[in-house]
Amino acid sequence: MSTEVATDADSSPAPEAAGYTGPTGSRLDDWWLRLMATPARERLWRWGGPIAVTLLAAVLRLVNLGHPHSLVFDETFYVKDGWSTWNLGYEASWPADVDAQFAAGGADLFKTDPSFAVHPPLGKWVIGAGMALFGPDNSFGWRFSVAVCGILLVLLTALIGTMLLRSTLLGTIAGFLLAIDGHAIVMSRVGILDGISALFLLLGFGAVLLDRQWHATRLAAAVAAREKGTGAVPEWGPVLWNRPWVLAAAVAFGLASSVKWSGLYFLAAFGVYLIVVDALARRRLGIPFWFSSAVLKQGPVTFLLLVPLALVSYLITWAGWFATSGGMYRTWAQSNNGEWTGALSWVPLAVQNFWHLETAVYNYHVNEHSPHPYQANPLSWLFLVRPTQMYVNQVDDSVCGGQTCYENITSIANPIIWWCATAALFYLVYRLVVKREWQVGLILMGMVAGYLPWLLYINRTVFQFYTIAFEPYMILGLAFVIGLALGSRGDPRPQRTRALLVVGAFLALCVLVSAWFLPVWTAMPIPSWFLSLHYWLPTWR
């Protein structure tokens, strides 16, 4: 994809320019070529763009992070669980209606009795680390670790976008759009688990991306070496064990699953993806039994590289539960005469108790149908129908000049970014069928792993904010389409100039809409009439 403003792009004329004899590229391209005239400047841009949008993300996520100084939405679970986990090694129970006391300095009111935590412990350890750093009484500390994860998510999106789309400009645009999007901002400013999970998922995605080139290069070299030795292409092809990026993906997806089980969908989806990529690579190399060798020969090896390490990564995060005796169901078998008998009687009691806990958590999730005013059907997620209001508080009218005044936090995305990203995804599905570009396929695999499984649970109580897990792939898809719109500096000057103006106007509109919604993302006090102007759809109230 040749989209960079006067760098990372060839200057050959685009098909549209056939027969065109006038100047190509825009004056902005000419200026940029002069600016990037040295390798040092190009290197500065390659890192400077992603770092700049990361700094922007840091400002939007860290400024006034401690406001409000009260537990917001599911912080009532995860912040308190984070602190008890940090102190005890497991999630402990708290007195009833303790949130106000907790915010007032009662962080040590937790009991030693366990609480039934329905998500694995890693996210709570991460939140607890921020509380340990800044103190449990500091609401900035409640959210600091989550904010850091949100900032790193922007950096990683920009770097992956640069690599995937082969353009620092498009990678920087992707990072910029995520940096200013309200859903990503809110999920970085509230101490809950989903933003942490999203970071580990994107790390795994990035590792899979890096494995593509690693795998293709070494597979081709191994086939060429055997062909040179035997004079013929091997019928089945080699097995590749040396795939460090698959190991990295295994760790990342294992850790994501240690925050929320939905990470398992990514592990399964990208495990299949790795086999498909291997099969296609073998076919391109002319291996006769390319499909069979990918599934039956390399497939089991890929499984062994991926799944066991992911499982080990998952279990390590439960070290606190295994090392203590106070966690939920930690001594269930001994206390309830529930020891396994017969062929499984040899299984250690700790493992039996752990299995009982995991079974109980699974049963909770599949049977969770309690109604909630902000639950959102997964079929509506891509259309931003029911965002989650996480906090609302009426403040003294004098703050708003005598008018009724509210502070509000709603995890609503920038609607322009979100709806355009949704439109881009539908286009990419069409484009994958027609052109079969691997970049498009990889982006859509992020959506397959992050979104499609939720369609199996349309009757469960689920929320729009779960979409942070796949928002980076929506943004990458949008950046891909922006790249198509920009074209190349080899395009005729009028065409290229119009493309730059249109994309620039779109980005400016995104900035203006983000500025408009910023008060309802960050709990700024605003008059009630102004708050109502942010309800573009009746379902947003």
Side-chain angles (χ1 to χ4, degrees):
M1 182 176 293
S2 180
T3 58
E4 194 74 59
V5 177
T7 186
D8 291 347
D10 64 62
S11 56
S12 57
E16 296 84 350
Y20 179 78
T21 57
T24 59
S26 69
R27 289 184 173 84
L28 179 61
D29 290 307
D30 297 338
W31 170 78
W32 191 259
L33 272 175
R34 294 191 298 271
L35 186 65
M36 296 289 109
T38 66
R41 291 181 179 180
E42 286 196 10
R43 286 194 299 270
L44 180 62
W45 162 235
R46 287 183 185 277
W47 284 104
I51 289 174
V53 295
T54 303
L55 292 175
L56 173 63
V59 171
L60 293 173
R61 285 150 179 79
L62 293 176
V63 171
N64 206 24
L65 179 64
H67 178 74
H69 185 72
S70 59
L71 294 172
V72 170
F73 197 60
D74 281 353
E75 284 185 341
T76 187
F77 304 116
Y78 304 126
V79 169
K80 292 186 297 187
D81 280 351
W83 188 237
S84 64
T85 299
W86 190 263
N87 283 273
L88 301 176
Y90 60 88
E91 299 91 339
S93 59
W94 294 75
D97 302 320
V98 76
D99 286 7
Q101 290 176 271
F102 180 90
D108 58 353
L109 294 175
F110 56 84
K111 306 176 183 178
T112 57
D113 298 331
S115 67
F116 182 57
V118 298
H119 295 294
L122 179 58
K124 276 90 80 167
W125 281 107
V126 172
I127 292 172
M131 298 174 72
L133 181 62
F134 291 97
D137 303 332
N138 187 341
S139 51
F140 182 92
W142 303 347
R143 300 159 187 150
F144 175 75
S145 294
V146 175
V148 170
C149 289
I151 294 165
L152 293 176
L153 190 71
V154 170
L155 175 62
L156 197 57
T157 299
L159 295 176
I160 288 175
T162 296
M163 186 185 312
L164 178 67
L165 306 178
R166 298 171 182 170
S167 166
T168 306
L169 175 63
L170 293 182
T172 301
I173 288 175
F176 173 74
L177 292 174
L178 191 65
I180 66 170
D181 176 68
H183 186 230
I185 290 172
V186 171
M187 297 308 292
S188 303
R189 293 178 61 92
V190 178
I192 58 179
L193 304 178
D194 300 77
I196 304 171
S197 175
L199 176 62
F200 286 118
L201 293 173
L202 191 58
L203 283 169
F205 179 90
V208 170
L209 171 61
L210 290 168
D211 177 71
R212 277 191 61 96
Q213 186 60 45
W214 179 278
H215 164 266
T217 301
R218 282 151 185 80
L219 180 65
V223 170
R226 293 195 183 187
E227 186 176 3
K228 183 178 180 181
T230 62
V233 175
E235 291 189 340
W236 285 72
V239 169
L240 299 181
W241 284 92
N242 182 22
R243 298 178 70 177
W245 292 115
V246 173
L247 299 177
V251 173
F253 291 141
L255 294 178
S257 303
S258 304
V259 180
K260 297 190 80 169
W261 277 1
S262 52
L264 294 173
Y265 297 134
F266 279 75
L267 178 67
F270 282 101
V272 173
Y273 176 83
L274 290 170
I275 294 174
V276 171
V277 167
D278 179 65
L280 295 177
R282 289 167 188 265
R283 185 176 69 171
R284 285 192 296 270
L285 293 171
I287 296 174
F289 295 97
W290 57 271
F291 181 78
S292 299
S293 63
V295 175
L296 301 177
K297 193 174 182 182
Q298 181 65 50
V301 172
T302 301
F303 176 89
L304 291 175
L305 292 173
L306 192 65
V307 175
L309 186 54
L311 178 60
V312 169
S313 301
Y314 177 80
L315 291 175
I316 286 175
T317 66
W318 287 90
W321 186 90
F322 282 105
T324 60
S325 60
M328 178 60 69
Y329 296 138
R330 182 62 182 85
T331 59
W332 178 85
Q334 303 93 306
S335 304
N336 295 274
N337 295 321
E339 295 94 337
W340 295 350
T341 58
L344 297 178
S345 60
W346 60 271
V347 176
L349 288 175
V351 177
Q352 296 182 33
N353 293 326
F354 184 67
W355 180 260
H356 181 78
L357 172 61
E358 298 290 79
T359 302
V361 170
Y362 173 79
N363 289 331
Y364 166 84
H365 283 298
V366 298
N367 294 298
E368 175 52 49
H369 299 102
S370 303
H372 191 284
Y374 286 99
Q375 67 187 70
N377 191 306
L379 293 171
S380 72
W381 286 356
L382 295 181
F383 307 102
L384 200 62
V385 172
R386 188 58 171 164
T388 310
Q389 185 182 68
M390 297 189 173
Y391 173 80
V392 62
N393 179 49
Q394 185 171 354
V395 298
D396 192 282
D397 293 355
S398 62
V399 178
C400 297
Q403 305 176 72
T404 304
C405 197
Y406 287 98
E407 296 174 338
N408 183 84
I409 298 176
T410 299
S411 64
I412 184 171
N414 179 314
I416 303 302
I417 295 175
W418 192 268
W419 288 330
C420 287
T422 295
L425 288 177
F426 285 113
Y427 170 71
L428 291 187
V429 172
Y430 161 79
R431 190 176 179 91
L432 181 64
V433 173
V434 174
K435 295 183 175 293
R436 300 182 183 180
E437 295 157 310
W438 71 265
Q439 294 96 333
V440 173
L442 184 56
I443 291 170
L444 291 178
M445 274 305 300
M447 294 301 299
V448 167
Y451 176 58
L452 290 189
W454 289 103
L455 299 182
L456 300 173
Y457 305 104
I458 59 175
N459 295 318
R460 267 192 55 194
T461 304
V462 293
F463 299 89
Q464 176 77 30
F465 69 82
Y466 294 0
T467 57
I468 190 63
F470 59 77
E471 184 174 358
Y473 317 108
M474 295 182 68
I475 296 294
L476 289 171
L478 179 56
F480 183 95
V481 173
I482 288 174
L484 297 177
L486 280 173
S488 163
R489 69 171 181 265
D491 292 338
R493 175 156 291 181
Q495 176 183 327
R496 174 67 164 174
T497 301
R498 284 195 302 270
L500 289 171
L501 289 173
V502 169
V503 171
F506 169 74
L507 295 177
L509 177 61
C510 291
V511 171
L512 292 175
V513 172
S514 286
W516 173 263
F517 277 90
L518 188 63
V520 302
W521 297 335
T522 58
M524 294 182 185
I526 54 176
S528 58
W529 65 266
F530 184 64
L531 176 61
S532 67
L533 294 179
H534 294 80
Y535 300 138
W536 291 8
L537 298 177
T539 52
W540 289 6
R541 293 182 178 273

